[in-house]
Coordinates of all heavy atoms in Angstrom, one line a residue:
M1 N 16.4 -5.6 9.8 CA 17.3 -4.6 9.3 C 16.9 -4.2 7.9 O 16.4 -4.9 7.1 CB 18.7 -5.3 9.2 CG 19.7 -4.5 8.6 SD 21.3 -5.5 8.5 CE 22.4 -4.2 8.4
L2 N 16.9 -2.9 7.7 CA 16.5 -2.3 6.5 C 17.7 -1.8 5.7 O 18.7 -1.4 6.2 CB 15.5 -1.1 6.8 CG 14.3 -1.4 7.5 CD1 13.5 -0.2 7.9 CD2 13.4 -2.4 6.7
L3 N 17.5 -1.8 4.4 CA 18.5 -1.3 3.5 C 18.6 0.3 3.6 O 17.6 0.9 4.0 CB 18.2 -1.6 2.0 CG 18.2 -3.1 1.7 CD1 17.8 -3.3 0.3 CD2 19.6 -3.8 2.0
K4 N 19.8 0.8 3.3 CA 19.9 2.3 3.5 C 18.9 3.1 2.6 O 18.5 4.1 3.0 CB 21.4 2.7 3.1 CG 22.4 2.2 4.0 CD 23.8 2.6 3.6 CE 24.8 2.0 4.5 NZ 26.2 2.4 4.1
K5 N 18.6 2.5 1.5 CA 17.6 3.2 0.6 C 16.2 2.8 0.7 O 15.3 3.2 0.0 CB 18.1 3.0 -0.9 CG 19.4 3.7 -1.2 CD 19.7 3.5 -2.7 CE 21.0 4.1 -3.0 NZ 21.3 4.0 -4.5
S6 N 15.9 2.1 1.8 CA 14.5 1.6 2.0 C 13.6 2.7 2.2 O 13.9 3.7 2.9 CB 14.5 0.6 3.2 OG 13.2 0.3 3.5
R7 N 12.4 2.6 1.6 CA 11.4 3.6 1.8 C 10.8 3.5 3.2 O 10.0 4.4 3.6 CB 10.3 3.5 0.8 CG 9.6 2.2 0.8 CD 8.6 2.1 -0.4 NE 8.0 0.8 -0.6 CZ 8.5 -0.1 -1.4 NH1 9.6 0.1 -2.1 NH2 8.0 -1.3 -1.5
Y8 N 11.2 2.5 4.0 CA 10.7 2.4 5.4 C 11.7 2.7 6.4 O 11.5 2.5 7.6 CB 10.2 0.9 5.6 CG 9.0 0.6 4.7 CD1 9.1 -0.1 3.5 CD2 7.7 1.0 5.1 CE1 8.0 -0.3 2.7 CE2 6.6 0.7 4.3 CZ 6.8 0.0 3.1 OH 5.7 -0.2 2.3
K9 N 12.9 3.2 6.0 CA 13.9 3.5 7.0 C 13.5 4.5 8.1 O 14.1 4.4 9.2 CB 15.2 3.9 6.3 CG 15.1 5.3 5.7 CD 16.5 5.7 5.1 CE 16.4 7.1 4.5 NZ 17.6 7.5 3.9
N10 N 12.6 5.4 7.9 CA 12.2 6.3 8.9 C 10.8 6.0 9.5 O 10.3 6.8 10.3 CB 12.1 7.7 8.3 CG 13.5 8.2 7.8 OD1 14.5 8.0 8.5 ND2 13.5 8.9 6.7
A11 N 10.3 4.8 9.2 CA 9.0 4.4 9.8 C 9.2 4.1 11.3 O 10.2 3.6 11.7 CB 8.5 3.1 9.1
K12 N 8.1 4.4 12.0 CA 8.1 4.1 13.5 C 7.9 2.7 13.8 O 7.2 2.0 13.0 CB 7.0 5.0 14.1 CG 7.3 6.5 14.0 CD 6.2 7.2 14.6 CE 6.4 8.7 14.4 NZ 5.3 9.5 14.9
A13 N 8.4 2.2 14.9 CA 8.3 0.8 15.3 C 6.8 0.6 15.7 O 6.2 1.5 16.3 CB 9.2 0.5 16.4
F14 N 6.3 -0.6 15.5 CA 5.0 -1.0 15.9 C 5.1 -1.4 17.4 O 5.9 -2.2 17.8 CB 4.5 -2.2 15.0 CG 3.2 -2.7 15.5 CD1 2.1 -2.0 15.3 CD2 3.1 -4.0 16.1 CE1 0.8 -2.5 15.7 CE2 1.9 -4.5 16.5 CZ 0.8 -3.7 16.3
E15 N 4.2 -0.8 18.2 CA 4.1 -1.1 19.6 C 2.7 -1.6 19.9 O 1.8 -0.8 20.2 CB 4.5 0.2 20.4 CG 5.9 0.7 20.1 CD 6.1 2.0 20.8 OE1 5.3 2.5 21.6 OE2 7.2 2.6 20.5
P16 N 2.6 -2.9 19.9 CA 1.2 -3.5 20.2 C 0.8 -3.2 21.6 O 1.6 -3.1 22.5 CB 1.4 -5.0 19.9 CG 2.9 -5.2 20.2 CD 3.6 -3.9 19.8
R17 N -0.5 -3.1 21.8 CA -1.1 -2.9 23.1 C -1.0 -4.2 23.9 O -0.8 -4.3 25.1 CB -2.6 -2.5 23.0 CG -2.8 -1.2 22.4 CD -4.2 -0.8 22.4 NE -4.4 0.4 21.6 CZ -5.4 0.6 20.8 NH1 -6.4 -0.3 20.7 NH2 -5.5 1.6 20.0
N18 N -1.3 -5.4 23.2 CA -1.2 -6.7 23.8 C -0.1 -7.4 23.1 O -0.1 -7.7 21.9 CB -2.5 -7.4 23.5 CG -2.5 -8.8 24.1 OD1 -1.5 -9.3 24.6 ND2 -3.6 -9.5 23.9
T19 N 1.0 -7.8 23.9 CA 2.1 -8.4 23.3 C 2.0 -9.9 23.1 O 2.8 -10.5 22.5 CB 3.4 -8.2 24.2 OG1 3.1 -8.7 25.5 CG2 3.7 -6.7 24.3
E20 N 0.9 -10.5 23.6 CA 0.7 -11.9 23.4 C 0.3 -12.2 21.9 O -0.7 -11.6 21.4 CB -0.5 -12.4 24.3 CG -0.7 -13.9 24.3 CD -1.7 -14.3 25.3 OE1 -1.8 -13.7 26.3 OE2 -2.4 -15.2 25.0
G21 N 1.1 -13.0 21.3 CA 0.8 -13.4 19.9 C 1.1 -12.4 18.9 O 0.7 -12.5 17.7
T22 N 1.9 -11.4 19.2 CA 2.3 -10.4 18.2 C 3.8 -10.5 18.0 O 4.6 -11.2 18.7 CB 2.0 -9.0 18.7 OG1 2.7 -8.7 19.9 CG2 0.5 -8.8 19.0
F23 N 4.3 -9.8 17.0 CA 5.7 -9.8 16.7 C 6.1 -8.4 16.4 O 5.3 -7.5 16.0 CB 6.0 -10.7 15.4 CG 5.3 -10.3 14.2 CD1 5.8 -9.4 13.3 CD2 4.0 -10.8 14.0 CE1 5.1 -9.0 12.2 CE2 3.3 -10.4 12.8 CZ 3.9 -9.5 11.9
P24 N 7.4 -8.1 16.5 CA 7.9 -6.7 16.3 C 7.8 -6.4 14.8 O 7.9 -7.2 13.9 CB 9.3 -6.7 16.8 CG 9.7 -8.1 16.7 CD 8.5 -8.9 17.0
G25 N 7.5 -5.1 14.5 CA 7.4 -4.7 13.1 C 7.5 -3.2 13.0 O 7.8 -2.5 13.9
L26 N 7.1 -2.7 11.8 CA 7.0 -1.3 11.6 C 5.6 -0.9 11.2 O 4.8 -1.6 10.7 CB 7.9 -0.9 10.4 CG 9.4 -1.2 10.5 CD1 10.1 -0.9 9.2 CD2 10.0 -0.4 11.6
R27 N 5.3 0.3 11.6 CA 4.0 0.9 11.3 C 4.1 1.4 9.8 O 5.2 1.5 9.3 CB 3.7 2.1 12.1 CG 3.4 1.8 13.6 CD 2.7 2.9 14.2 NE 2.3 2.5 15.6 CZ 1.2 1.7 15.9 NH1 0.5 1.3 14.9 NH2 0.9 1.4 17.1
A28 N 3.0 1.6 9.2 CA 2.9 2.2 7.9 C 3.7 3.5 7.9 O 3.6 4.3 8.8 CB 1.5 2.4 7.4
R29 N 4.5 3.7 6.9 CA 5.3 4.9 6.9 C 4.4 6.1 6.5 O 3.4 6.0 5.8 CB 6.4 4.8 5.9 CG 6.0 4.7 4.4 CD 7.2 4.3 3.6 NE 6.8 4.1 2.2 CZ 6.9 5.0 1.3 NH1 7.5 6.2 1.6 NH2 6.5 4.8 0.0
E30 N 4.8 7.3 7.0 CA 4.1 8.5 6.7 C 4.5 9.0 5.3 O 5.7 8.9 5.0 CB 4.4 9.6 7.8 CG 3.9 9.3 9.1 CD 4.3 10.3 10.2 OE1 4.5 11.5 9.8 OE2 4.3 10.0 11.3
I31 N 3.5 9.4 4.6 CA 3.8 9.8 3.2 C 3.2 11.2 3.0 O 2.3 11.6 3.7 CB 3.2 8.9 2.2 CG1 1.7 8.7 2.3 CG2 3.9 7.5 2.2 CD1 1.0 7.9 1.2
E32 N 3.7 11.9 2.0 CA 3.2 13.2 1.7 C 1.9 13.1 0.8 O 1.8 12.1 0.1 CB 4.2 14.0 0.9 CG 5.5 14.2 1.7 CD 6.6 14.7 0.8 OE1 6.4 15.1 -0.4 OE2 7.8 14.8 1.3
P33 N 1.1 14.1 0.8 CA -0.1 14.0 -0.1 C 0.4 13.9 -1.5 O 1.4 14.5 -1.9 CB -0.8 15.4 0.1 CG -0.3 15.9 1.4 CD 1.1 15.3 1.6
K34 N -0.3 13.1 -2.3 CA 0.0 12.9 -3.7 C -0.8 13.7 -4.6 O -2.0 14.0 -4.4 CB -0.2 11.4 -4.1 CG 0.5 10.4 -3.3 CD 2.0 10.5 -3.7 CE 2.8 9.4 -2.9 NZ 4.2 9.4 -3.1
E35 N -0.2 14.2 -5.7 CA -0.9 15.0 -6.7 C -1.0 14.1 -7.9 O -0.2 13.2 -8.1 CB -0.1 16.2 -7.1 CG 0.0 17.3 -6.0 CD 0.7 18.5 -6.5 OE1 0.7 18.8 -7.7 OE2 1.2 19.2 -5.6
G36 N -2.1 14.3 -8.6 CA -2.3 13.5 -9.8 C -2.7 12.1 -9.5 O -1.9 11.2 -9.6
V37 N -3.9 11.9 -9.0 CA -4.4 10.6 -8.7 C -5.6 10.2 -9.6 O -6.3 11.0 -10.1 CB -4.8 10.4 -7.2 CG1 -3.7 10.7 -6.3 CG2 -6.0 11.4 -6.9
I38 N -5.7 8.9 -9.7 CA -6.9 8.3 -10.4 C -7.7 7.6 -9.4 O -7.2 7.0 -8.5 CB -6.4 7.2 -11.4 CG1 -5.5 7.9 -12.5 CG2 -7.5 6.5 -12.1 CD1 -4.8 6.9 -13.4
E39 N -9.0 7.8 -9.5 CA -10.0 7.1 -8.6 C -10.3 5.8 -9.3 O -10.7 5.7 -10.5 CB -11.2 7.9 -8.4 CG -10.9 9.1 -7.5 CD -12.1 9.9 -7.2 OE1 -13.2 9.7 -7.8 OE2 -12.0 10.8 -6.3
H40 N -10.2 4.7 -8.6 CA -10.4 3.3 -9.1 C -11.5 2.7 -8.2 O -11.3 2.6 -7.0 CB -9.2 2.5 -9.1 CG -9.4 1.1 -9.5 ND1 -9.4 0.7 -10.8 CD2 -9.6 0.0 -8.8 CE1 -9.6 -0.6 -10.9 NE2 -9.8 -1.1 -9.7
T41 N -12.6 2.2 -8.8 CA -13.6 1.4 -8.1 C -13.2 0.0 -8.0 O -13.0 -0.7 -9.1 CB -15.0 1.6 -8.7 OG1 -15.3 3.0 -8.8 CG2 -16.0 0.9 -7.9
V42 N -13.1 -0.6 -6.8 CA -12.6 -2.0 -6.7 C -13.6 -2.9 -7.1 O -14.8 -2.8 -6.8 CB -12.3 -2.2 -5.2 CG1 -11.9 -3.7 -4.9 CG2 -11.2 -1.3 -4.7
T43 N -13.2 -3.9 -7.9 CA -14.1 -5.0 -8.4 C -13.7 -6.3 -7.7 O -12.6 -6.4 -7.0 CB -13.9 -5.2 -9.9 OG1 -12.6 -5.7 -10.2 CG2 -14.2 -3.9 -10.7
E44 N -14.5 -7.3 -7.9 CA -14.3 -8.6 -7.2 C -13.0 -9.2 -7.5 O -12.4 -9.9 -6.7 CB -15.4 -9.5 -7.6 CG -15.4 -10.8 -6.8 CD -16.7 -11.7 -7.1 OE1 -17.7 -11.1 -7.4 OE2 -16.5 -12.9 -7.1
N45 N -12.5 -9.1 -8.7 CA -11.2 -9.7 -9.2 C -10.0 -8.9 -9.0 O -8.9 -9.3 -9.4 CB -11.4 -10.2 -10.6 CG -12.5 -11.2 -10.8 OD1 -12.6 -12.1 -10.0 ND2 -13.3 -11.0 -11.8
D46 N -10.1 -7.7 -8.4 CA -8.9 -6.8 -8.3 C -7.9 -7.4 -7.3 O -8.3 -8.0 -6.3 CB -9.3 -5.4 -7.8 CG -9.8 -4.5 -8.9 OD1 -9.6 -4.9 -10.1 OD2 -10.4 -3.5 -8.6
R47 N -6.7 -7.3 -7.7 CA -5.5 -7.5 -6.8 C -4.6 -6.4 -6.9 O -4.5 -5.8 -8.0 CB -4.8 -8.8 -7.2 CG -5.6 -10.1 -6.8 CD -4.9 -11.4 -7.1 NE -3.4 -11.3 -7.4 CZ -2.7 -12.2 -8.0 NH1 -3.3 -13.4 -8.3 NH2 -1.4 -12.1 -8.2
L48 N -3.8 -6.1 -5.8 CA -2.9 -5.0 -5.9 C -1.9 -5.1 -6.9 O -1.5 -4.1 -7.6 CB -2.3 -4.7 -4.5 CG -3.2 -4.3 -3.4 CD1 -2.6 -4.3 -2.1 CD2 -3.7 -2.9 -3.8
D49 N -1.3 -6.3 -7.1 CA -0.3 -6.5 -8.1 C -0.9 -6.3 -9.5 O -0.2 -5.8 -10.4 CB 0.4 -7.8 -8.0 CG -0.5 -9.0 -8.1 OD1 -1.7 -8.9 -7.7 OD2 0.0 -10.1 -8.4
H50 N -2.1 -6.7 -9.7 CA -2.7 -6.5 -11.0 C -3.0 -5.1 -11.3 O -2.8 -4.6 -12.4 CB -4.1 -7.3 -11.1 CG -3.9 -8.8 -11.1 ND1 -4.9 -9.7 -11.0 CD2 -2.7 -9.6 -11.2 CE1 -4.4 -10.9 -11.1 NE2 -3.1 -10.9 -11.2
L51 N -3.5 -4.3 -10.3 CA -3.7 -2.9 -10.4 C -2.4 -2.2 -10.8 O -2.3 -1.3 -11.6 CB -4.3 -2.3 -9.2 CG -5.7 -2.8 -8.9 CD1 -6.2 -2.2 -7.6 CD2 -6.7 -2.4 -10.0
A52 N -1.3 -2.6 -10.1 CA 0.0 -2.0 -10.3 C 0.5 -2.2 -11.8 O 1.0 -1.4 -12.4 CB 1.0 -2.5 -9.3
R53 N 0.2 -3.5 -12.2 CA 0.6 -3.8 -13.6 C -0.2 -2.9 -14.6 O 0.3 -2.4 -15.6 CB 0.3 -5.3 -13.9 CG 0.4 -5.7 -15.3 CD 1.7 -5.7 -16.0 NE 2.7 -6.6 -15.3 CZ 3.9 -6.6 -15.6 NH1 4.5 -5.8 -16.5 NH2 4.7 -7.4 -15.0
H54 N -1.5 -2.8 -14.3 CA -2.4 -2.0 -15.2 C -2.0 -0.5 -15.2 O -1.8 0.1 -16.3 CB -3.8 -2.1 -14.8 CG -4.8 -1.3 -15.6 ND1 -5.1 -1.6 -16.8 CD2 -5.4 -0.1 -15.2 CE1 -6.0 -0.7 -17.3 NE2 -6.1 0.2 -16.3
Y55 N -1.8 0.1 -14.0 CA -1.5 1.5 -14.0 C -0.1 1.9 -14.1 O 0.2 3.0 -14.6 CB -2.1 2.1 -12.7 CG -3.6 2.1 -12.6 CD1 -4.3 1.2 -11.9 CD2 -4.3 3.0 -13.4 CE1 -5.7 1.2 -11.8 CE2 -5.7 3.0 -13.4 CZ -6.4 2.1 -12.6 OH -7.8 2.2 -12.6
Y56 N 0.9 1.1 -13.7 CA 2.3 1.4 -13.7 C 3.1 0.5 -14.7 O 4.3 0.7 -14.8 CB 2.9 1.3 -12.3 CG 2.2 2.1 -11.3 CD1 1.8 1.5 -10.1 CD2 1.9 3.4 -11.5 CE1 1.1 2.3 -9.1 CE2 1.2 4.2 -10.5 CZ 0.9 3.6 -9.3 OH 0.2 4.3 -8.3
N57 N 2.5 -0.5 -15.2 CA 3.2 -1.4 -16.1 C 4.3 -2.2 -15.3 O 5.3 -2.5 -15.9 CB 3.7 -0.8 -17.3 CG 4.0 -1.8 -18.4 OD1 3.4 -2.8 -18.5 ND2 5.0 -1.5 -19.3
D58 N 4.1 -2.3 -14.0 CA 5.0 -3.0 -13.1 C 4.3 -3.5 -11.9 O 3.9 -2.7 -11.0 CB 6.2 -2.0 -12.7 CG 7.3 -2.7 -11.9 OD1 7.1 -3.8 -11.5 OD2 8.3 -2.0 -11.7
D59 N 4.1 -4.8 -11.8 CA 3.3 -5.3 -10.7 C 4.0 -5.2 -9.3 O 3.4 -5.3 -8.3 CB 2.9 -6.8 -10.9 CG 4.1 -7.7 -11.2 OD1 5.3 -7.2 -11.3 OD2 3.9 -8.9 -11.5
R60 N 5.3 -4.9 -9.3 CA 6.1 -4.7 -8.1 C 5.8 -3.3 -7.4 O 6.2 -3.0 -6.3 CB 7.5 -4.9 -8.3 CG 7.9 -6.3 -8.7 CD 9.3 -6.4 -9.1 NE 9.5 -5.6 -10.3 CZ 10.6 -5.3 -10.9 NH1 11.7 -5.7 -10.4 NH2 10.7 -4.5 -12.0
Q61 N 5.1 -2.5 -8.1 CA 4.8 -1.1 -7.6 C 3.5 -1.1 -6.8 O 3.0 0.0 -6.5 CB 4.7 -0.1 -8.8 CG 6.0 0.0 -9.6 CD 7.1 0.6 -8.8 OE1 6.9 1.6 -8.1 NE2 8.2 0.0 -8.8
W62 N 3.0 -2.2 -6.4 CA 1.7 -2.3 -5.6 C 1.8 -1.5 -4.3 O 0.8 -0.9 -3.9 CB 1.3 -3.7 -5.3 CG 2.4 -4.4 -4.5 CD1 3.4 -5.2 -4.9 CD2 2.5 -4.4 -3.0 NE1 4.2 -5.6 -3.9 CE2 3.6 -5.2 -2.7 CE3 1.7 -3.8 -2.0 CZ2 4.0 -5.3 -1.4 CZ3 2.2 -4.0 -0.7 CH2 3.3 -4.8 -0.4
W63 N 2.9 -1.3 -3.8 CA 3.1 -0.6 -2.5 C 2.7 0.9 -2.7 O 2.3 1.5 -1.7 CB 4.5 -0.7 -2.0 CG 5.6 -0.2 -2.9 CD1 6.3 -0.9 -3.9 CD2 6.1 1.1 -3.0 NE1 7.1 -0.1 -4.6 CE2 7.0 1.2 -4.1 CE3 5.8 2.3 -2.3 CZ2 7.7 2.3 -4.4 CZ3 6.5 3.5 -2.7 CH2 7.4 3.4 -3.7
R64 N 2.8 1.4 -3.9 CA 2.4 2.8 -4.1 C 0.9 3.0 -3.8 O 0.4 4.0 -3.3 CB 2.7 3.3 -5.5 CG 4.2 3.4 -5.8 CD 4.4 3.8 -7.3 NE 5.8 3.8 -7.6 CZ 6.7 4.8 -7.2 NH1 6.2 5.8 -6.6 NH2 7.9 4.7 -7.6
I65 N 0.1 2.0 -4.2 CA -1.3 2.0 -4.0 C -1.6 1.9 -2.5 O -2.5 2.6 -2.0 CB -2.0 0.9 -4.8 CG1 -1.7 1.1 -6.3 CG2 -3.5 0.8 -4.5 CD1 -2.1 -0.1 -7.2
V66 N -0.9 1.0 -1.8 CA -1.1 0.9 -0.4 C -0.7 2.2 0.3 O -1.4 2.6 1.3 CB -0.3 -0.3 0.2 CG1 -0.4 -0.3 1.7 CG2 -0.8 -1.6 -0.4
D67 N 0.4 2.9 -0.1 CA 0.8 4.2 0.5 C -0.4 5.2 0.4 O -0.6 5.9 1.3 CB 2.0 4.7 -0.2 CG 3.3 4.1 0.3 OD1 3.3 3.3 1.3 OD2 4.4 4.5 -0.2
A68 N -1.1 5.2 -0.8 CA -2.1 6.1 -1.0 C -3.4 5.7 -0.3 O -4.3 6.5 -0.1 CB -2.4 6.3 -2.5
N69 N -3.5 4.4 0.1 CA -4.7 3.9 0.7 C -4.3 3.0 1.9 O -4.5 1.7 1.8 CB -5.5 3.1 -0.3 CG -5.9 3.9 -1.5 OD1 -6.8 4.6 -1.5 ND2 -5.0 3.7 -2.6
P70 N -3.7 3.5 3.0 CA -3.2 2.6 4.1 C -4.3 1.8 4.7 O -4.0 0.7 5.3 CB -2.6 3.6 5.1 CG -3.1 4.9 4.7 CD -3.5 4.9 3.3
E71 N -5.6 2.2 4.6 CA -6.7 1.4 5.1 C -6.8 0.1 4.4 O -7.6 -0.8 4.9 CB -8.0 2.2 5.1 CG -8.5 2.6 3.7 CD -7.8 3.8 3.1 OE1 -6.9 4.4 3.7 OE2 -8.2 4.2 2.1
L72 N -6.2 -0.1 3.3 CA -6.3 -1.4 2.6 C -5.6 -2.5 3.4 O -5.9 -3.7 3.1 CB -5.6 -1.3 1.2 CG -6.3 -0.5 0.1 CD1 -5.5 -0.4 -1.1 CD2 -7.7 -1.1 -0.2
L73 N -4.7 -2.2 4.2 CA -4.0 -3.2 5.1 C -5.0 -3.5 6.2 O -5.1 -2.8 7.2 CB -2.7 -2.7 5.6 CG -1.6 -2.5 4.6 CD1 -0.4 -1.9 5.3 CD2 -1.2 -3.9 4.0
D74 N -5.7 -4.6 6.1 CA -6.7 -5.0 7.1 C -6.2 -6.2 7.8 O -6.5 -7.3 7.3 CB -8.1 -5.2 6.4 CG -9.1 -5.7 7.4 OD1 -9.0 -5.4 8.6 OD2 -10.1 -6.3 6.9
G75 N -5.6 -6.0 8.9 CA -5.1 -7.2 9.7 C -4.1 -8.0 8.9 O -4.0 -9.2 9.0
G76 N -3.3 -7.3 8.0 CA -2.3 -8.1 7.2 C -2.9 -8.6 5.9 O -2.2 -9.0 5.0
R77 N -4.2 -8.5 5.7 CA -4.8 -8.9 4.5 C -4.9 -7.7 3.5 O -5.3 -6.6 3.9 CB -6.2 -9.5 4.7 CG -6.2 -10.8 5.5 CD -7.6 -11.2 5.7 NE -8.4 -11.4 4.5 CZ -9.6 -11.8 4.5 NH1 -10.3 -11.9 5.6 NH2 -10.3 -11.9 3.3
L78 N -4.6 -7.9 2.3 CA -4.7 -6.9 1.3 C -5.9 -7.1 0.5 O -6.3 -8.2 0.1 CB -3.4 -6.9 0.4 CG -2.1 -6.6 1.1 CD1 -1.0 -6.8 0.1 CD2 -2.1 -5.3 1.7
M79 N -6.6 -6.0 0.2 CA -7.8 -6.0 -0.7 C -8.9 -7.0 -0.1 O -9.3 -7.9 -0.8 CB -7.4 -6.4 -2.1 CG -6.5 -5.4 -2.8 SD -7.2 -3.8 -3.0 CE -8.4 -4.1 -4.3
H80 N -9.3 -6.7 1.1 CA -10.3 -7.5 1.7 C -11.6 -7.5 0.8 O -11.9 -6.5 0.2 CB -10.6 -6.9 3.1 CG -11.5 -7.8 3.9 ND1 -12.8 -7.8 3.8 CD2 -11.2 -8.6 4.9 CE1 -13.3 -8.6 4.7 NE2 -12.3 -9.2 5.4
P81 N -12.3 -8.6 0.8 CA -13.5 -8.7 -0.1 C -14.5 -7.6 0.2 O -15.3 -7.2 -0.7 CB -14.1 -10.1 0.2 CG -13.0 -10.9 0.7 CD -12.1 -9.9 1.4
D82 N -14.5 -7.0 1.4 CA -15.5 -5.9 1.7 C -15.2 -4.7 0.9 O -15.9 -3.7 0.9 CB -15.4 -5.6 3.2 CG -16.0 -6.7 4.0 OD1 -16.7 -7.6 3.5 OD2 -15.8 -6.7 5.3
W83 N -14.0 -4.6 0.3 CA -13.6 -3.4 -0.5 C -14.3 -3.3 -1.9 O -14.2 -2.3 -2.5 CB -12.1 -3.3 -0.7 CG -11.5 -2.8 0.6 CD1 -11.0 -3.5 1.6 CD2 -11.3 -1.4 0.9 NE1 -10.5 -2.7 2.6 CE2 -10.7 -1.4 2.1 CE3 -11.6 -0.2 0.2 CZ2 -10.4 -0.2 2.8 CZ3 -11.3 1.0 0.9 CH2 -10.7 1.0 2.1
V84 N -15.0 -4.4 -2.3 CA -15.6 -4.4 -3.6 C -16.6 -3.2 -3.6 O -17.5 -3.1 -2.7 CB -16.3 -5.7 -3.9 CG1 -17.2 -5.6 -5.2 CG2 -15.3 -6.8 -4.0
G85 N -16.5 -2.4 -4.7 CA -17.4 -1.2 -4.8 C -16.9 0.1 -4.2 O -17.4 1.1 -4.5
E86 N -15.8 0.0 -3.4 CA -15.2 1.1 -2.8 C -14.3 1.8 -3.8 O -13.7 1.2 -4.7 CB -14.4 0.8 -1.5 CG -15.3 0.3 -0.4 CD -16.2 1.3 0.2 OE1 -15.8 2.5 0.2 OE2 -17.3 1.0 0.5
V87 N -14.1 3.1 -3.6 CA -13.2 3.8 -4.5 C -11.8 4.0 -3.8 O -11.8 4.4 -2.6 CB -13.7 5.2 -4.9 CG1 -12.7 6.1 -5.6 CG2 -15.0 5.1 -5.6
I88 N -10.7 3.6 -4.5 CA -9.4 3.8 -3.9 C -8.6 4.8 -4.8 O -9.1 5.0 -6.0 CB -8.6 2.5 -3.8 CG1 -8.4 1.8 -5.1 CG2 -9.3 1.6 -2.8 CD1 -7.5 0.6 -5.0
L89 N -7.6 5.3 -4.3 CA -6.7 6.2 -5.1 C -5.5 5.5 -5.7 O -4.9 4.8 -5.0 CB -6.3 7.4 -4.2 CG -7.4 8.2 -3.6 CD1 -6.8 9.3 -2.7 CD2 -8.3 8.8 -4.6
I90 N -5.2 5.8 -6.9 CA -4.1 5.3 -7.6 C -3.2 6.5 -7.9 O -3.5 7.3 -8.7 CB -4.4 4.6 -8.9 CG1 -5.5 3.5 -8.7 CG2 -3.2 4.0 -9.6 CD1 -5.1 2.4 -7.9
P91 N -2.1 6.7 -7.1 CA -1.2 7.9 -7.3 C -0.5 7.8 -8.6 O -0.1 6.7 -9.1 CB -0.3 7.9 -6.1 CG -0.3 6.5 -5.7 CD -1.6 5.8 -6.0
A92 N -0.2 8.9 -9.2 CA 0.6 9.0 -10.5 C 2.0 8.8 -10.1 O 2.5 9.1 -9.0 CB 0.4 10.4 -11.1
L93 N 2.7 8.2 -11.1 CA 4.2 8.1 -10.9 C 4.8 9.4 -11.0 O 4.4 10.3 -11.8 CB 4.8 7.1 -12.0 CG 4.6 5.6 -11.7 CD1 5.1 4.9 -13.0 CD2 5.2 5.2 -10.5
R94 N 5.8 9.6 -10.2 CA 6.6 10.8 -10.2 C 7.4 10.9 -11.5 O 8.1 9.9 -11.8 CB 7.6 10.9 -9.0 CG 8.0 12.3 -8.7 CD 8.8 12.3 -7.4 NE 8.1 12.0 -6.3 CZ 8.6 11.6 -5.1 NH1 9.9 11.5 -5.0 NH2 7.8 11.3 -4.1
Q95 N 7.3 11.9 -12.3 CA 8.0 12.1 -13.5 C 9.4 12.7 -13.3 O 9.5 13.6 -12.5 CB 7.2 12.9 -14.5 CG 5.9 12.4 -14.9 CD 5.9 11.1 -15.6 OE1 6.8 10.8 -16.4 NE2 5.0 10.2 -15.2
G96 N 10.4 12.2 -14.0 CA 11.7 12.8 -13.9 C 12.8 12.0 -13.4 O 13.0 11.1 -12.9

């Protein structure tokens, strides 16, 4: 059950090809293209919450980075070690 104001309220249900060992869930929500982004090169010590603290001054805003880079969700793991050296997008906060 999602809250009325949830950013995932319109997300499509996850429909696995193989139902063995899976659980119901939601797919990544569709988002609009973002304007005003920063390119960040991933380092070995990067974590999404640390990046959110650095760029947004709020570690709970990590989901904004995942929205801009849905490929970061690798089998449920965030920021897989293979991402070191890759460039990810950090979207600007909406002003107003």
Side-chain angles (χ1 to χ4, degrees):
M1 178 179 198
L2 299 173
L3 298 174
K4 291 179 184 179
K5 294 183 179 183
S6 172
R7 60 185 170 268
Y8 295 96
K9 70 179 180 180
N10 295 323
K12 295 179 182 175
F14 175 68
E15 298 173 11
R17 292 184 195 143
N18 178 358
T19 58
E20 186 175 324
T22 61
F23 60 93
L26 298 175
R27 292 202 175 279
R29 65 191 178 97
E30 294 181 23
I31 59 171
E32 300 171 5
K34 300 287 185 186
E35 290 185 26
V37 296
I38 298 169
E39 292 183 349
H40 175 86
T41 303
V42 177
T43 65
E44 186 176 327
N45 296 320
D46 278 345
R47 286 185 12 195
L48 291 172
D49 58 332
H50 292 171
L51 293 175
R53 167 67 64 189
H54 176 75
Y55 289 107
Y56 305 130
N57 200 30
D58 184 350
D59 55 0
R60 295 170 297 170
Q61 299 294 314
W62 61 268
W63 59 269
R64 293 181 184 279
I65 300 169
V66 173
D67 278 357
N69 305 276
E71 62 277 6
L72 289 176
L73 290 174
D74 178 22
R77 292 177 59 183
L78 298 175
M79 297 296 287
H80 192 277
D82 291 345
W83 278 94
V84 172
E86 295 292 325
V87 175
I88 62 172
L89 301 177
I90 308 293
L93 280 177
R94 204 177 289 164
Q95 301 296 322

